[in-house]
Every structure is written in structure tokens, then in C-alpha cells.
Amino acid sequence: MKPRGLSHEETVRYYDGFGAKQDKQGFYEDAALADLMAHADFGLARRVAEFGCGTGRIAANLLREHLPSDATYWGCDVSDTMLGLSGERLAKFGERATLWKSSGDANLPLQDESVDRFVSNYVLDILSADEIAAVIGEAKRVLKPDGLLCLVSLTHGKGIPSKILTAFWNLGFSLNPGLVGGCRPVALLEFLDTWEIVHHNVVVASAISSEVIVAKKR
């Protein structure tokens, strides 16, 4: 696996500048996110934590359409711009939604075994292998015994057009990680050998492959 392409500081600057443009990535993200929603049983969750809330688009969708009316959401991000956009989008949900500024490490101010779903979408593909392992370790700490880990990330190509695009993506990442927002295709199953995989799929949209994983603690 390639190392992290952008430093933490570069990542913060990039996504502070990227802002609401992130929502335009739905042309390839939405199909994978729909697959996640269909297999993560959010209707049974009472507390959700999201690592990397972005613009709050996913959180709003969860609170509006998938979670019980008394369920709560907690999300974090390293970008002040993203937290501001999320705050505006989630204001209508009042105390059901809480946001927290992350310093970039995996340590979260959440109690052990306190959440039903730990979500991270298109974030781990920015991190180094050690950072991915740390986030997944933190997810194991904060998830309840019957909780679910819910992940979506860029992954290696599936099918010829996607494999060609993956090759160009990797080339762009190697030349200048900022061209692709510091993201690159990863294989998250490599980090989940101590988890029970409930659902795994690779969804291809616009020739971009996304890995969808739902897992629970063994």
C-alpha cells in the first residue's frame, strides 16, 4: 500500500479549500453509499459515530431517512470548513447531532463500547497504513459488542475500464497527491482480519471502484 500522500497540514488546507465541492463527488459515491445503507441496519442503531463527517451530507441522510427518531449522531473532521458546512446542514436536528474538531489522530473522546455504528466514508483512503489500522482499532474500542463497522473507500479497479482509471489515478497520486486530494485506492479487507465480515462489495460507478464493508467484532 502506498504511504500517505499529503501531510496532515496539507490535507487540512486542501479540504478547507475544497469545501462544498465535495458534494459533487456523488456521481461515483452515491451508489456505494446506497449499498452501505442497505446492509448496515441503521434502523436498529441508537448512536452513530462518523470519522470524517465532511459536509454533513451523509449524516443528514442518516438522521433524516435511516436512523430512529431518537437516535443521535456524533461526527468529527480535521477541517474547519467541513465542520462549518456540517454544522449548517445538521442544525435542524438540534441536540441529536454533535460535531468535534479532530487533531488528526485516531483518539476520539468517546467511551468504550458506546456506539452502535462506526462510520467512515472516503476518508481512510487518505491515510497511511498505520493510521488506517489506528482508526480501525479505535472503532473496535468504541463499538458495542453487537455494533457494526461501516466503511466505504476508493479501491483497486474492478473491470477493465476501472483498472485503467486506477492506473491513471495511482500515477497522478505518485506525481502529485494534491491532484487527487491525497486519496488513492486501498484494500481495507487487509486491515480486518480480526473482524467478522458481514457484507463486502466493490461498486463501480463512472469507472471508479469503491469498496463497501460492514463488519462486526469477533
Side-chain angles (χ1 to χ4, degrees):
M1 175 180 291
K2 292 181 175 62
R4 172 194 268 271
L6 298 178
S7 69
H8 170 69
E9 293 75 16
E10 289 170 332
T11 299
V12 172
R13 285 197 298 272
Y14 181 91
Y15 286 96
D16 276 343
F18 198 51
K21 293 190 290 291
Q22 186 176 51
D23 288 344
K24 295 181 179 180
Q25 297 180 158
F27 72 94
Y28 72 87
E29 292 182 354
D30 287 352
L33 293 171
D35 187 61
L36 179 71
M37 299 298 177
H39 292 90
D41 288 330
F42 282 106
L44 301 178
R46 284 290 187 265
R47 182 160 171 76
V48 173
E50 183 176 18
F51 186 83
C53 61
T55 66
R57 185 169 74 100
I58 296 167
N61 180 260
L62 283 171
L63 289 162
R64 183 177 60 247
E65 298 184 18
H66 297 278
L67 294 173
S69 59
D70 60 345
T72 60
Y73 166 91
W74 181 96
C76 68
D77 208 284
V78 298
S79 165
D80 287 326
T81 298
M82 294 301 185
L83 288 170
L85 292 168
S86 288
E88 293 174 7
R89 186 168 253 155
L90 301 180
K92 68 182 75 174
F93 299 103
E95 294 182 355
R96 293 183 63 200
T98 300
L99 298 173
W100 181 75
K101 174 68 180 292
S102 171
S103 64
D105 61 38
N107 297 319
L108 305 178
L110 300 173
Q111 295 182 350
D112 294 355
E113 299 185 354
S114 62
V115 303
D116 300 294
R117 301 290 182 273
F118 186 98
V119 179
S120 190
N121 297 312
Y122 298 104
V123 174
L124 299 187
D125 45 35
I126 300 172
L127 306 182
S128 70
D130 287 345
E131 290 170 326
I132 294 172
V135 172
I136 291 174
E138 187 72 346
K140 181 171 286 190
R141 179 185 71 80
V142 303
L143 276 170
K144 295 178 181 178
D146 59 348
L148 296 176
L149 176 67
C150 308
L151 305 175
V152 181
S153 77
L154 294 173
T155 196
H156 306 293
K158 177 183 177 182
I160 293 175
S162 184
K163 289 180 179 179
I164 293 172
L165 182 59
T166 295
F168 279 104
W169 194 301
N170 284 330
L171 177 61
F173 180 89
S174 298
L175 295 174
N176 180 3
L179 293 173
V180 290
C183 305
R184 82 290 190 203
V186 297
L188 292 181
L189 278 183
E190 297 175 0
F191 298 88
L192 299 172
D193 55 333
T194 63
W195 295 72
E196 178 182 344
I197 305 302
V198 175
H199 173 72
H200 178 258
N201 192 18
V202 175
V203 177
V204 180
S206 299
I208 298 175
S209 293
S210 298
E211 185 174 30
V212 182
I213 296 176
V214 179
K216 62 182 180 180
K217 296 188 287 188
R218 286 177 177 161

